[in-house]
């Protein structure tokens, strides 16, 4: 509410021409985010909200259409060799980075190699099968793979496909995230941590005729009630992740609209069995925790039944869902029996949750459900970046973790379940699981990939390094002054074609 109060004071304290004020506001989209993004560097970033900012600043080699298939963006065409080990891509001519440098094949090679080699890269695991990149001519480059890699094009629809200016990256070094330079419709202006990120229209953008906004102000407001209050008061034009319980009042408001889609990702609990003295070290304890949870009841209590309960890395509606493992029913008696068998009838577990509106509520419901089986769950609410840092260092028992999802299921599995991958916070490492992941990556044949997903599920459903709870229905609320908005299944806003009246 402080932000809204300050805005009202500002309006009263400064006298501006009403026409000028309306004109400036009409050109500026104020977008309320659920969290403050992490590093604004496509190679290092790992948060959902950073992807929302990148959607304005950093075009990708390819985008996805509503059907999840790749469509041209910075690359206009591509061709995979018959042996599936070489991908040739042709770039769009005349594309400039925000510093005026041209995007050519050498710049694309630089960006891909940066994703592979930069210390701390979160993209390395996503495109690890790339062996080398060669420049063919000014606008053509060729990617050689160590092995066939089915998810490659899907990876290029996200941050692994974002191109950065080599000149700026070299000049700024590890400070690149403080002044990122990409090849997108908006250029970076400023960032005030926990307050705002500002970008402005790049006049030399290759598709500038479709960019009607002059400025976007991304405003992190973790409290969903405050976000919605700002929207209804006219201090925001758009907000993401509207709380399902607020949906009725938004749909009744004639000045607001709602967009929605089921996310590609998942909401899960990641366990840390490697921590000294961990109560969840035994897979029977993790299985008992899982059995104590009623996913449908959790969905009804916290999300008014709007979300989709699930138990895998993709939703039950996804074609890659392994039907041999349907949604489990709650079984408190069996959970107690497993705990007794493991010799820990009353395990104590600290569950880390994000300090926002929804996560603590989820934690409280899980706390109550698991207590009936014998668990003593303590909740630890913390901010987003602190939770990720603790996960990196292994300083947690269990972690209520959200993943926004990728078009290919590999993007929901490999980095979480393969040995020594960046997002494998459970430190899970299993030869059978790794073999299944290698198999699904090595072929584009749907039947063979389905078999690999089944093999992966056989192992992961038994070991439970993490348990999957539900798949969110993503809601955007926005002013009727905003037109051209279309929900996409990856949960990101496309700013092309958006207008404010």
């Amino acid at each position: 509410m402080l932000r809204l109060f300050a805005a009202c004071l500002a309006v009263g304290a400064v006298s501006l021409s009403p026409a000028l004020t309306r004109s400036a506001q009409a050109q500026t989209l104020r977008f309320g985010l659920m969290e403050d993004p992490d590093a604004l560097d496509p190679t290092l970033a790992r948060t959902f909200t950073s992807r929302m900012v990148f959607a304005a600043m950093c075009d990708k080699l390819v985008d996805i259409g509503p059907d999840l298939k790749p469509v041209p963006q910075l690359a206009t065409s591509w061709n995979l060799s018959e042996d599936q080990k070489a991908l040739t891509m042709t770039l769009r001519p005349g594309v400039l980075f925000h510093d005026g440098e041209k995007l050519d094949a050498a710049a694309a090679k630089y960006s891909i190699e940066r994703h592979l080699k930069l210390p701390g890269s979160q993209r390395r695991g996503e495109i690890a099968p790339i062996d080398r990149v060669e420049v063919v001519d000014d606008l053509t480059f060729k990617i050689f793979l160590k092995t066939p890699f089915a998810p490659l094009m899907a990876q290029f629809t996200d941050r692994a496909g974002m191109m950065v200016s080599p000149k700026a990256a070299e000049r700024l070094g590890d400070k690149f995230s403080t002044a990122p330079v990409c090849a997108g419709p908006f250029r970076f202006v400023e960032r005030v941590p926990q307050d705002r990120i500002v970008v402005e229209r790049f006049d030399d953008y290759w598709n500038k005729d479709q960019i009607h906004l002059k400025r976007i102000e991304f405003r992190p407001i973790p409290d969903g009630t405050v976000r919605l209050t700002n929207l209804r008061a006219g201090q925001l034009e758009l907000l993401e992740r509207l709380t399902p319980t607020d949906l009725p009042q938004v749909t009744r408001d004639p000045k607001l609209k709602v967009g929605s889609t089921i996310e590609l990702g998942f909401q899960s609990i990641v366990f840390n069995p490697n921590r000294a003295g961990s109560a969840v070290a035994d897979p029977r304890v993790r299985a008992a925790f899982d059995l104590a949870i009623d996913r449908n009841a959790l969905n009804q209590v916290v999300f008014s039944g709007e979300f989709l309960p699930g138990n895998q890395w993709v939703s039950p509606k996804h074609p890659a869902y392994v039907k041999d493992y349907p949604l489990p029913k709650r079984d408190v008696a069996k959970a107690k029996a497993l705990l007794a068998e493991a010799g820990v009838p009353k395990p104590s577990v600290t569950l880390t949750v994000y300090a926002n509106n929804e996560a603590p509520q989820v934690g409280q419901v899980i706390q109550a459900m698991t207590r009936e089986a014998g668990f003593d769950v303590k909740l630890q609410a913390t901010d987003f970046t602190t939770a990720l840092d603790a996960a990196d260092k292994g300083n947690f028992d269990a972690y209520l973790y959200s993943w926004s999802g990728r078009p290919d299921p590999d993007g929901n599995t490999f980095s979480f379940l393969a040995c020594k991958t960046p997002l494998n916070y459970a430190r899970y490492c299993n030869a059978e699981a790794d073999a299944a992941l290698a198999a699904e990556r090595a072929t584009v044949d749907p039947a063979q990939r389905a078999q690999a997903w089944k093999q992966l599920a056989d192992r992961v459903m038994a070991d439970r390094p993490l348990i999957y709870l539900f798949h969110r229905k993503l809601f955007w609320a926005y002013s009727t002054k905003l037109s051209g908005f279309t929900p996409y299944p990856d949960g990101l806003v496309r700013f092309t074609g958006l207008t404010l009246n």
Side-chain angles (χ1 to χ4, degrees):
M1 294 301 293
L2 288 176
R3 184 190 304 278
L4 178 57
F5 181 61
C8 292
L9 285 178
V11 170
V14 181
S15 177
L16 293 174
S17 161
L20 285 175
T21 302
R22 284 195 299 271
S23 176
Q25 288 178 343
Q27 295 292 321
T28 300
L29 174 68
R30 295 165 296 182
F31 187 174
L33 304 179
M34 192 171 182
E35 301 108 9
D36 196 27
D38 60 343
L40 294 182
D41 181 332
T43 302
L44 303 177
R46 54 184 174 174
T47 62
F48 187 32
T49 42
S50 69
R51 295 174 69 208
M52 296 187 188
V53 179
F54 290 138
M57 293 196 306
C58 305
D59 277 1
K60 303 154 294 190
L61 290 172
V62 288
D63 198 5
I64 59 167
D67 60 359
L68 301 184
K69 294 181 180 178
V71 296
Q73 197 167 69
L74 293 177
T76 56
S77 63
W78 49 90
N79 179 61
L80 185 65
S81 64
E82 190 172 340
D83 65 0
Q84 301 179 33
K85 293 178 67 176
L87 177 70
T88 303
M89 304 195 81
T90 301
L91 294 169
R92 186 180 300 279
V95 175
L96 297 177
F97 290 107
H98 298 150
D99 59 359
E101 296 291 308
K102 68 177 182 178
L103 171 63
D104 56 15
K109 171 182 165 70
Y110 176 90
S111 290
I112 294 171
E113 290 178 345
R114 185 175 186 267
H115 290 324
L116 287 167
K117 299 175 181 178
L118 188 72
S121 172
Q122 299 295 318
R123 309 285 80 80
R124 186 181 297 114
E126 297 173 357
I127 55 174
I130 293 179
D131 181 49
R132 67 187 190 279
V133 183
E134 293 184 0
V135 173
V136 176
D137 58 37
D138 192 48
L139 292 176
T140 309
F141 62 97
K142 196 168 187 177
I143 298 171
F144 293 90
L145 302 172
K146 301 169 188 173
T147 61
F149 183 46
L152 183 59
M153 289 303 296
Q155 302 292 18
F156 284 156
T157 67
D158 193 51
R159 288 165 291 196
M162 293 177 187
M163 304 288 100
V164 303
S165 166
K167 183 178 179 180
E170 289 297 309
R171 175 174 56 85
L172 292 168
D174 61 3
K175 300 293 191 295
F176 181 80
S177 65
T178 66
V181 179
C182 291
F186 295 86
R187 65 176 185 85
F188 177 82
V189 175
E190 67 168 344
R191 178 176 192 174
V192 180
Q194 304 298 328
D195 183 72
R196 66 184 181 275
I197 296 169
V198 180
V199 298
E200 289 184 348
R201 184 172 59 206
F202 179 50
D203 290 336
D204 291 323
Y205 180 56
W206 62 269
N207 197 21
K208 62 184 178 182
D209 291 345
Q210 294 301 311
I211 304 301
H212 310 300
L213 302 171
K214 184 178 181 181
R215 182 182 177 98
I216 304 172
E217 295 178 4
F218 296 95
R219 300 184 178 181
I221 308 174
D223 190 298
T225 301
V226 177
R227 275 203 314 283
L228 180 55
T229 299
N230 275 261
L231 178 69
R232 300 187 76 174
Q235 300 303 312
L236 297 174
E237 286 76 39
L238 171 67
L239 63 80
E240 54 101 6
R241 280 178 281 182
L242 174 72
T243 304
T245 52
D246 288 332
L247 191 60
Q249 65 171 303
V250 174
T251 55
R252 290 194 300 265
D253 192 326
K255 295 181 179 180
L256 299 179
K257 290 185 177 181
V258 174
S260 67
T261 186
I262 291 288
E263 69 176 349
L264 295 173
F266 56 79
Q267 311 303 299
S268 66
I269 294 177
V270 182
F271 294 112
N272 183 12
N274 301 303
R275 194 177 195 182
S278 172
V280 296
D282 192 312
R284 291 171 294 187
V285 175
R286 303 194 293 272
F289 198 101
D290 192 357
L291 285 167
I293 297 172
D294 184 330
R295 289 163 171 81
N296 287 306
L298 176 64
N299 179 36
Q300 290 294 334
V301 171
V302 183
F303 306 112
S304 301
E306 290 287 348
F307 288 3
L308 181 63
N311 66 320
Q312 296 179 29
W313 43 81
V314 292
S315 83
K317 294 185 177 182
H318 196 285
Y321 183 80
V322 181
K323 295 181 180 179
D324 299 68
Y325 294 97
L327 198 69
K329 294 182 179 180
R330 189 182 191 222
D331 192 333
V332 174
K334 187 174 180 180
K336 288 181 177 180
L338 284 170
L339 292 180
E341 184 182 316
V344 280
K346 295 184 178 180
S348 177
V349 178
T350 298
L351 177 62
T352 300
V353 300
Y354 300 135
N356 56 30
N357 283 53
E358 294 177 355
Q361 295 179 53
V362 174
Q364 288 163 11
V365 174
I366 289 173
Q367 183 182 51
M369 288 178 173
T370 55
R371 183 183 295 122
E372 294 182 28
F375 284 91
D376 176 19
V377 173
K378 298 177 177 63
L379 300 181
Q380 179 175 301
T382 187
D383 67 88
F384 197 61
T385 52
T386 300
L388 286 176
D389 183 62
D392 274 339
K393 296 174 180 176
N395 295 332
F396 71 100
D397 287 339
Y399 175 19
L400 184 62
Y401 179 76
S402 304
W403 178 246
S404 55
R406 300 294 180 268
D408 190 289
D410 178 85
N412 289 0
T413 52
F414 186 84
S415 290
F416 300 94
L417 299 170
C419 295
K420 298 180 180 180
T421 44
L423 301 177
N424 189 345
Y425 301 129
R427 274 67 172 173
Y428 181 65
C429 190
N430 179 275
E432 292 179 21
D434 269 17
L437 288 164
E440 61 85 4
R441 289 187 145 200
T443 179
V444 295
D445 181 83
Q448 292 182 33
R449 295 197 85 199
Q451 183 179 2
W453 297 129
K454 168 62 167 58
Q455 292 169 349
L456 181 65
D458 288 343
R459 190 67 268 154
V460 172
M461 295 297 139
D463 293 342
R464 290 182 176 84
L466 68 166
I467 58 174
Y468 306 89
L469 299 175
F470 53 86
H471 307 271
R472 294 173 298 184
K473 196 172 193 178
L474 299 176
F475 293 104
W476 295 266
Y478 58 99
S479 167
T480 53
K481 295 178 181 178
L482 180 67
S483 58
F485 177 83
T486 301
Y488 271 70
D490 61 2
L492 304 180
V493 175
R494 270 56 177 183
F495 297 97
T496 301
L498 288 187
T499 58
L500 276 170
N501 302 317

